[in-house]
Amino acid sequence: MQWHVKIDIPFVLLADDPIRGIIVTTLSIIVLVILVFVITFPHTHQFLSTKSRWIIDAKSGQRVKLTCVNWPGHLRPMIPEGLQKKPLKDIVENVTSMGFNCVRLTWATYMFTRAAYTNLTVAQSLDRLNLKAANAGVAENNPQLLDLTLIDCQEAVINELGAHDIMVVLDNHVSQPEWCCSDNDGNGFFGDTYFRPKEWLKGLTMVAKRYKHNPSVVAMSMRNELRGPRQKREAWYQYIQEGATAIQLENPKVLVIVSGLSFETDLSFLKKKPLRLSLNTKLVYEAHWYAFGDPPEKWLFQTNQFCASITQWFMSQSGFVLGGENPAPLFLSEFGKDQRGANEPENRYFSCLMATVAERDIDWAYWGLQGSYMLREGQVEFEEPYGLFDANWENARNSTFLDRLQLVLKMTQGPKSKDSRYYVIYHPQSGQCLQADRGNVSATNCHHWSLWSHDGDGSPIWLRRNSGCLAAVGDGQSAVVTTNCSSQQSLWRHVSSSKLHLAAKDDQGRDLCLEWNSSNSTIVTKKCVCLGDDLNDVPWCSEDPTRQWFKLISTNKR
Ligand SMILES: *[C@@H]1O[C@H](CO)[C@@H](O)[C@H](O)[C@H]1NC(C)=O
Ligand SMILES: *[C@@H]1O[C@H](CO)[C@@H](O)[C@H](O)[C@H]1NC(C)=O
Ligand SMILES: *[C@@H]1O[C@H](CO)[C@@H](O)[C@H](O)[C@H]1NC(C)=O
Ligand SMILES: *[C@@H]1O[C@H](CO)[C@@H](O)[C@H](O)[C@H]1NC(C)=O
Ligand SMILES: *[C@@H]1O[C@H](CO)[C@@H](O)[C@H](O)[C@H]1NC(C)=O
Ligand SMILES: *[C@@H]1O[C@H](CO)[C@@H](O)[C@H](O)[C@H]1NC(C)=O
Ligand SMILES: *[C@@H]1O[C@H](CO)[C@@H](O)[C@H](O)[C@H]1NC(C)=O
């Protein structure tokens, strides 16, 4: 998208009065620069590239953080979900108002490569599946889409997102349109029943070509959740190379997102044999992190220990790409939880995960936006408990959930933040941040926070630009900011294997941990719970330590 600004600089004034002329000219130039910046800046996302582990704006070099929500369009109807429930514009406005700057829009290869699908209109696709209510719903809410082909409908969605400055990551989710993913669904790995490598390459090429002049499409992810009995590393290197080349040939501007093996949980083989692509500044890796398959009793009774080990596992399987000799960006492109909150193991997983996402300021995409699916696994109007929308795509499924994302919706770090010595104190269970108001400490929604500094275990946590520091007063009492920073009540240490408990000693020498009190949203100090859940002699802890989980998040943002 090109923007032209025409501004007449009043040079003529120079003739009358040199000083006035210089002032006016200078002011005009400043106005011009500001205007050009304001008008072009939101539309420069199209040129994203990478620098070390950061995704940046190719022109300005500033970091651009992807804070996305997944929006599926790869199921059998091949229509982005929800268009049968609400006008496209309303859905997109909600995406904006919820705070996301990006959508990971999923698509199926066959929609582009098979004539039987490419020629279908939205109405025909729904008729074919006998989805009468969905058809009537689209007719009512989005009549302009009904007679578009499926691909044109996808483009209409992308254009609407673009009109609201929402970036789009196009994710090749499956070959045959279908709910994803299992080991034996024929869509898992190159050579599976429906997953023909040549056809996949053709699909990637067609998508890259179709959107190469569309600035909203900032990235293409090559394939979702490679998996199954056929998966092999050698084949992975070969096809990832071919896919990346195919995309780049058509569209050298777009970011190319690469996933690993085993349902997008394993990139560890890259440590031994790096991927040698000529992508330079366009390569981003992606990973998924869910609680699926985790033993629930581990999350329930050994919460600290399990969080520590699962975090270590994630970092060694995927997160390591952020560091090392050749750092690259990592896009956590799926994670999510049941919004109803009744799945307690999953609640704890989510707090654990949020601590890592915030700590590293990782780019991410929540799964998912959809309150329901037109048709999933044979069921019409399948409700999605992980969805941000309720089943009618009307209200938030859980109004408190978005509060938990407030810090990670913001950018706290960036290419220049290495020298930052300041921290936000973050409570992942609530998604809140600590704020000091004179002597009092409270938990806020992370639109504001206090900056703290800390030189490591056993030292005070100082309030920036203040001689005060965080201190424990006593068991069950509010944490305070004090000026007496030499006592043991203001010397803090990480005391559990998850490194998420922060403790100071009270005047009797007993450990007191920071704790969030949900009933009045204050920060108190209490006896630490479940510290020893990694020790053999205390194998079970029946309390919930996540209310005592805090993370110091390094930041360069004030
Ligand atoms: C699809 O549409 C194109 C253009 O209208 C037409 O040439 C082609 O024959 C159609 N293919 C099928 C399989 O219907
Ligand atoms: C929203 O989530 C919270 C926290 O998990 C839970 O306590 C609450 O019951 C949920 N509300 C609804 C309406 O599901
Ligand atoms: C979506 O926007 C509408 C209109 O502003 C609003 O009524 C509704 O609550 C929003 N839904 C969500 C989930 O934000
Ligand atoms: C600190 O909090 C207490 C109790 O909520 C309140 O009475 C007091 O005024 C607060 N002090 C300051 C300095 O805000
Ligand atoms: C909240 O509860 C804590 C602990 O019970 C108490 O010390 C504090 O004064 C309360 N704060 C407010 C603002 O009510
Ligand atoms: C600071 O704390 C120490 C240890 O608790 C105490 O001995 C000292 O009196 C305190 N000083 C002030 C000024 O409160
Ligand atoms: C939280 O604070 C409330 C109000 O001050 C208090 O009644 C309650 O006992 C506190 N909860 C915990 C777990 O300390």
Side-chain angles (χ1 to χ4, degrees):
M1 206 179 296
Q2 290 291 331
W3 287 79
H4 296 284
V5 196
K6 188 170 179 294
I7 289 180
D8 293 318
I9 297 175
F11 285 105
V12 64
L13 289 170
L14 281 169
D16 301 354
D17 173 352
I19 301 213
R20 194 163 146 241
I22 288 167
I23 292 172
V24 170
T25 306
T26 310
L27 282 178
S28 302
I29 289 170
I30 291 171
V31 167
L32 177 78
V33 166
I34 290 173
L35 267 179
V36 167
F37 185 80
V38 165
I39 291 173
T40 59
F41 191 72
H43 298 274
T44 53
H45 291 316
Q46 65 266 38
F47 305 111
L48 297 186
S49 57
T50 66
K51 182 181 183 189
S52 174
R53 61 147 289 194
W54 311 102
I55 295 171
I56 59 168
D57 180 288
K59 281 188 198 150
S60 68
Q62 298 289 313
R63 180 177 181 206
V64 174
K65 178 176 174 181
L66 300 181
T67 57
C68 319
V69 65
N70 279 277
W71 188 353
H74 69 276
L75 280 82
R76 289 179 69 194
M78 294 167 280
I79 300 165
E81 303 293 340
L83 297 176
Q84 81 284 23
K85 297 284 190 185
K86 288 285 163 197
L88 170 59
K89 188 160 176 281
D90 293 7
I91 297 174
V92 172
E93 278 171 5
N94 279 143
V95 171
T96 304
S97 65
M98 288 188 238
F100 301 101
N101 67 9
C102 150
V103 160
R104 179 177 182 252
L105 186 64
T106 65
W107 60 280
T109 303
Y110 289 6
M111 185 171 90
F112 280 85
T113 56
R114 303 254 165 144
Y117 293 146
T118 56
N119 277 12
L120 287 180
T121 65
V122 168
Q124 287 165 345
S125 180
L126 293 169
D127 277 344
R128 169 187 69 104
L129 299 165
N130 204 23
L131 296 172
K132 293 202 172 67
N135 205 333
V138 177
E140 187 193 329
N141 290 295
N142 292 290
Q144 78 286 7
L145 302 179
L146 205 57
D147 294 321
L148 297 185
T149 64
L150 295 171
I151 298 175
D152 286 344
C153 174
Q154 182 193 57
E155 184 161 8
V157 169
I158 291 170
N159 287 340
E160 188 67 34
L161 289 163
H164 288 79
D165 274 326
I166 304 271
M167 297 179 277
V168 178
V169 175
L170 279 176
D171 170 63
N172 178 245
H173 211 73
V174 286
S175 291
Q176 189 199 39
E178 189 58 87
W179 173 250
C180 186
C181 302
S182 67
D183 271 328
N184 295 301
D185 59 12
N187 274 310
F189 199 75
F190 307 98
D192 280 2
T193 313
Y194 307 113
F195 194 170
R196 302 191 187 148
K198 286 235 161 65
E199 186 170 13
W200 168 73
L201 289 170
K202 186 177 167 201
L204 291 178
T205 302
M206 292 173 81
V207 170
K209 184 169 186 173
R210 181 159 188 120
Y211 296 110
K212 79 168 143 192
H213 297 301
N214 191 325
S216 311
V217 176
V218 296
M220 283 177 61
S221 55
M222 240 187 274
R223 184 66 166 201
N224 180 69
E225 300 200 353
L226 293 165
R227 63 191 175 276
R230 214 180 282 271
Q231 69 171 11
K232 289 216 173 51
R233 286 174 192 176
E234 306 79 68
W236 185 90
Y237 283 95
Q238 179 199 331
Y239 291 120
I240 291 299
Q241 171 86 53
E242 291 180 15
T245 308
I247 294 171
Q248 276 246 304
L249 267 178
E250 278 304 331
N251 184 348
K253 284 182 194 152
V254 86
L255 294 178
V256 176
I257 306 184
V258 170
S259 64
L261 296 172
S262 304
F263 294 86
E264 223 157 312
T265 63
D266 184 11
L267 289 161
S268 63
F269 49 90
L270 290 172
K271 289 180 209 169
K272 280 204 184 119
K273 184 181 171 190
L275 186 58
R276 307 234 176 265
L277 293 181
S278 51
L279 283 176
N280 290 325
T281 62
K282 295 294 180 184
L283 172 67
V284 172
Y285 289 103
E286 68 181 315
H288 292 176
W289 183 358
Y290 286 109
F292 306 147
D294 293 348
E297 69 278 8
K298 289 279 185 188
W299 279 122
L300 290 177
F301 303 113
Q302 294 186 293
T303 315
N304 270 310
Q305 185 272 332
F306 199 57
C307 176
S309 65
I310 213 94
T311 300
Q312 201 175 38
W313 179 82
F314 173 78
M315 290 310 292
S316 78
Q317 291 282 106
S318 308
F320 72 92
V321 304
L322 294 167
E325 271 177 35
N326 286 304
L330 180 72
F331 178 40
L332 180 63
S333 57
E334 284 187 27
F335 64 101
K337 74 183 287 285
D338 188 324
Q339 300 268 301
R340 294 165 298 190
N343 184 336
E344 188 53 27
E346 205 179 51
N347 293 343
R348 299 195 187 175
Y349 136 85
F350 202 76
S351 298
C352 178
L353 167 144
M354 289 300 282
T356 296
V357 174
E359 179 187 22
R360 314 259 168 178
D361 202 11
I362 293 174
D363 298 83
W364 53 267
Y366 179 77
W367 183 275
L369 180 66
Q370 66 280 10
S372 61
Y373 304 88
M374 297 176 192
L375 175 66
R376 173 177 149 184
E377 297 169 286
Q379 189 185 324
V380 176
E381 282 305 321
F382 190 111
E383 192 165 349
E384 175 55 275
Y386 285 43
L388 294 177
F389 276 114
D390 60 16
N392 290 322
W393 294 63
E394 179 76 55
N395 296 308
R397 183 170 292 275
N398 190 327
S399 58
T400 63
F401 182 75
L402 280 176
D403 296 342
R404 300 188 64 179
L405 299 181
Q406 291 313 306
L407 180 64
V408 297
L409 278 166
K410 295 184 171 59
M411 209 150 37
T412 53
Q413 300 165 15
K416 293 190 188 98
S417 61
K418 261 201 195 116
D419 48 2
S420 168
R421 286 180 298 114
Y422 293 110
Y423 298 97
V424 181
I425 305 180
Y426 176 56
H427 181 253
Q429 186 200 30
S430 63
Q432 297 197 304
C433 295
L434 259 60
Q435 188 165 27
D437 179 15
R438 282 160 288 179
N440 290 341
V441 179
S442 60
T444 70
N445 57 16
C446 296
H447 292 304
H448 304 283
W449 56 59
S450 295
L451 285 176
W452 310 82
S453 64
H454 182 54
D455 291 332
D457 278 353
S459 67
I461 297 178
W462 297 95
L463 190 56
R464 178 174 166 246
R465 291 210 193 106
N466 185 313
S467 53
C469 66
L470 189 66
V473 177
D475 195 0
Q477 291 185 262
S478 291
V480 297
V481 169
T482 168
T483 49
N484 188 355
C485 298
S486 55
S487 79
Q488 57 186 4
Q489 283 148 277
S490 50
L491 305 179
W492 296 88
R493 289 165 300 118
H494 293 89
V495 288
S496 65
S497 53
S498 65
K499 296 209 161 48
L500 289 166
H501 279 90
L502 271 172
K505 294 202 184 296
D506 68 7
D507 52 11
Q508 323 268 299
R510 292 169 304 201
D511 272 338
L512 290 178
C513 277
L514 288 180
E515 176 170 317
W516 177 65
N517 182 322
S518 58
S519 68
N520 69 2
S521 208
T522 50
I523 303 297
V524 295
T525 52
K526 285 220 161 180
K527 183 175 173 296
C528 304
V529 297
C530 304
L531 292 191
D533 66 357
D534 52 337
L535 302 176
N536 288 333
D537 54 340
V538 208
W540 301 116
C541 180
S542 56
E543 289 190 81
D544 175 6
T546 63
R547 63 178 192 271
Q548 294 189 338
W549 280 0
F550 290 84
K551 190 88 199 170
L552 295 174
I553 311 292
S554 166
T555 183
N556 59 352
K557 292 275 142 62
R558 269 90 242 263

